[in-house]
Amino acid sequence: MAPVTAGSYEYDLVVIGGGSGGLAAAKEAVSYGKKVAVLDFVIPSPRGTTWGIGGTCVNVGCIPKKLMHQAALLGEAIHDAKAYGWQIPDPEAIKIDWEAIKTAVQNHVKSVNWVTRVMLRDKKVEYINGLGQFKDPNTVVAKLKNGTERVLTTSHVIIAVGGRPNYPNIPGAKEYCITSDDIFSHPTPPGDTLIVGAGYIGLECAGFLKGFGYNATVMVRSVVLRGFDTQMADLITEELKDKGVEFLMKCVPLEVKKLDSGKLQVTWKNIETNKTCSAEFDTVLIATGRRALTDELLLPNAGIKVEENAKINANKETTNVPHIFAVGDVLHGRPELTPVAVQAGKLLAARLYGGATLEMDYDNVATTVFTPLEYGCVGLSEETAISKYTEDKIEVYHAFYKPTEFFIPQRNPSRCYLKVICLRNSPRTILGMHFIGPNAGEVIQGYAAAMKCNITFDQLESTVGIHPTLSEEFTRVVITKRSGLDPTPQSCCS
């Protein structure tokens, strides 16, 4: 992609959206001496929640989620500590202080908001706290909080607005329910919580809420962790059940009412039996997917086409309008992950203004579900591998394992499990790696780099592991599903 200039326009680049992808593109663009503006505006959630610059990840996504996940793990560690000899009078009497954890998380988020604004100022990226909308293909109007407007002309635009949670079309949903936009700053302890939706957001919230000592119930319309490996999703479900999370399978909500007591009465239907039930909860958290924020942009004014799901179908981040691009969660058919948006935004700006040619590779992107027992994966699921290559052409190596840390507190290791999916023919190119266990994100990150280098099973089995670690279990796996042998180890060093 040849370098371009602004010509008669006010800006070289206007980025609509101040999340991870948009900020990465803006910072890269100014490094080539370009004049860049970033527009960022948070429409309040139906419950009135707003936040600062930085996008979903920083404010209501990865960062506060991971901090609350860590808080829940620390609660579990307190019980383990007693088994390890620490003199803790009564672990059962130790309770979470919701106000304290909420305040700590929000203070960190606000510090990141501040650092982000300072960084943009230092790099001479103009930050405009306004809602960006297209007037024409080269004109973006920023609607400011005070009711005024700013008109910006630009040679290029990057759309990086991401998405916001969907609400089911049922009575009481927007009036009384919250989403991930609200949970991390919820003013009062959530208490007995119903989570509607069983994707990674729903399961992660259920996990840390249960870890905090609140009752958590997950309502599942179809399957848990749609799009992930089915066997791994089933193991995570069983682990959550063991932790005390309740599941309402094959159910959909019908109505949410607020009672005089302040409780929320939820009525739902089992779509298999057609039976209707109801129960009371303190909080109802909707986690039924996210919608792209494209309707707000007035895209027809720029001639930009969208898919039925309101997402933008872009070729190499280029929309159907050649000088308008899109990165991040707003893209159709791409992973909705912060590092994906960051990498795509940075590479796009480098191609636009630096004469670079490297393009974003959306294959083999690793991810982790931060449930109490984490699940990390990279590459294909077992189902996808079979569908793509047929069962006869793939081999699945698998193993259960016992983390050393689990022995003394006698924690249940029955779902600590991994599998490696590869081609059967030598050198057995690896297609997917899946890991359930503590620190799964840290474990899978290193193997993600190996996957980018086309690692083979021959290379994996010749790698000497670091003992005793969790990650070394990948270097010791020898049993195939095809063999029918028991993949359960006899000891930590077996």
Side-chain angles (χ1 to χ4, degrees):
M1 186 178 292
V4 294
T5 57
S8 60
Y9 300 110
E10 182 183 2
Y11 293 92
D12 296 287
L13 174 66
V14 169
V15 179
I16 307 177
S20 304
L23 293 175
K27 289 185 289 184
E28 185 72 12
V30 296
S31 73
Y32 298 105
K34 301 304 174 182
K35 187 177 181 182
V36 180
V38 171
L39 280 62
D40 187 65
F41 186 83
V42 179
I43 299 171
S45 76
R47 307 299 293 161
T49 308
T50 60
W51 51 87
I53 192 169
T56 297
C57 174
V58 164
N59 293 282
V60 291
C62 319
I63 299 304
K65 177 269 303 289
K66 182 69 181 295
L67 293 173
M68 288 200 167
H69 170 63
Q70 175 64 14
L73 293 181
L74 288 172
E76 193 169 43
I78 290 171
H79 293 78
D80 287 356
K82 189 168 186 179
Y84 274 102
W86 287 96
Q87 297 181 18
I88 300 171
D90 182 9
E92 297 300 329
I94 298 173
K95 305 298 181 184
I96 191 76
D97 182 335
W98 175 260
E99 183 64 28
I101 179 60
K102 180 197 73 174
T103 299
V105 167
Q106 290 306 309
N107 285 345
H108 175 70
V109 168
K110 288 179 175 63
S111 73
V112 177
N113 297 151
W114 171 253
V115 169
T116 301
R117 292 192 64 170
V118 171
M119 174 196 63
L120 291 178
R121 183 191 64 200
D122 291 347
K123 291 182 177 292
K124 295 181 171 53
V125 175
E126 185 178 357
Y127 164 60
I128 301 171
N129 185 204
L131 177 64
Q133 296 180 324
F134 283 96
K135 182 178 179 181
D136 61 49
N138 291 95
T139 307
V140 176
V141 177
K143 293 182 175 289
L144 309 181
K145 281 188 174 181
N146 61 10
T148 63
E149 296 182 351
R150 273 194 59 184
V151 178
L152 299 83
T153 61
T154 179
S155 58
H156 288 83
V157 180
I158 294 179
I159 300 169
V161 292
R164 296 287 288 274
N166 278 322
Y167 282 83
N169 186 23
I170 61 170
K174 289 189 176 181
E175 293 86 346
Y176 306 123
C177 301
I178 67 170
T179 68
S180 56
D181 282 354
D182 312 290
I183 185 63
F184 304 111
S185 58
H186 201 263
T188 57
D192 190 354
T193 303
L194 171 68
I195 297 99
V196 181
Y200 73 94
I201 293 173
L203 295 193
E204 289 172 341
C205 289
F208 71 69
L209 289 174
K210 186 61 187 177
F212 290 169
Y214 307 123
N215 290 329
T217 303
V218 178
M219 184 177 291
V220 187
R221 179 181 62 85
S222 53
V223 297
V224 174
L225 289 179
R226 177 180 296 280
F228 287 85
D229 187 279
T230 300
Q231 180 189 12
M232 309 306 275
D234 289 344
L235 288 170
I236 288 295
T237 303
E238 292 306 313
E239 181 69 20
L240 283 168
K241 287 180 179 178
D242 272 3
K243 296 286 187 185
V245 176
E246 301 287 337
F247 282 81
L248 300 172
M249 305 301 293
K250 303 298 182 183
C251 292
V252 294
L254 299 177
E255 184 180 30
V256 180
K257 287 183 179 179
K258 190 165 188 177
L259 304 177
D260 292 340
S261 64
K263 292 263 191 178
L264 299 178
Q265 184 183 64
V266 182
T267 303
W268 68 88
K269 180 177 73 173
N270 185 301
I271 57 178
E272 286 189 334
T273 66
N274 227 25
K275 182 180 178 182
T276 300
C277 302
S278 67
E280 296 178 12
F281 300 90
D282 296 307
T283 302
V284 179
L285 191 157
I286 303 296
T288 51
R290 298 173 68 83
R291 69 173 185 89
L293 288 174
T294 52
D295 288 346
E296 292 81 351
L297 299 178
L298 304 183
L299 294 180
N301 291 346
I304 300 171
K305 299 176 182 177
V306 296
E307 298 295 311
E308 288 186 10
N309 61 3
K311 290 195 172 190
I312 298 171
N313 197 347
N315 179 25
K316 301 173 184 176
E317 294 83 49
T318 306
T319 71
N320 61 293
V321 180
H323 69 277
I324 300 177
F325 307 88
V327 297
D329 293 3
V330 76
L331 284 176
H332 175 69
R334 299 304 189 191
E336 296 184 12
L337 299 167
T338 295
V340 171
V342 170
Q343 184 87 328
K346 184 176 180 180
L347 292 177
L348 171 60
R351 295 198 305 276
L352 279 173
Y353 304 116
T357 58
L358 187 61
E359 297 172 355
M360 178 64 192
D361 182 1
Y362 290 97
D363 292 331
N364 291 333
V365 174
T367 190
T368 294
V369 181
F370 289 99
T371 39
L373 195 62
E374 298 172 7
Y375 165 36
C377 60
V378 60
L380 303 183
S381 66
E382 187 173 346
E383 294 81 19
T384 303
I386 291 172
S387 175
K388 187 172 182 178
Y389 295 98
T390 74
E391 194 165 3
D392 289 340
K393 293 182 180 178
I394 70 164
E395 198 75 87
V396 179
Y397 291 85
H398 68 146
F400 288 93
Y401 65 95
K402 298 177 181 179
T404 306
E405 299 86 343
F406 280 25
F407 279 89
I408 287 179
Q410 297 184 16
R411 289 176 61 182
N412 180 9
S414 63
R415 295 179 190 91
C416 291
Y417 175 79
L418 61 90
K419 64 180 174 182
V420 181
I421 304 157
C422 62
L423 295 175
R424 290 185 75 187
N425 292 340
S426 184
R428 295 177 291 176
T429 299
I430 294 177
L431 306 173
M433 302 181 76
H434 300 260
F435 181 92
I436 290 179
N439 302 307
E442 308 298 337
V443 170
I444 212 69
Q445 180 65 80
Y447 291 107
M451 288 283 290
K452 296 294 288 186
C453 299
N454 298 314
I455 185 175
T456 67
F457 196 83
D458 291 13
Q459 293 167 329
L460 182 65
E461 67 180 353
S462 68
T463 300
V464 178
I466 302 170
H467 189 66
T469 65
L470 302 170
S471 189
E472 75 165 324
E473 299 296 339
F474 271 122
T475 71
R476 308 195 313 167
V477 60
V478 295
I479 294 174
T480 67
K481 284 191 173 183
R482 192 183 306 275
S483 72
L485 297 175
D486 182 5
T488 306
Q490 299 306 306
S491 73
C492 72
C493 301
S494 62

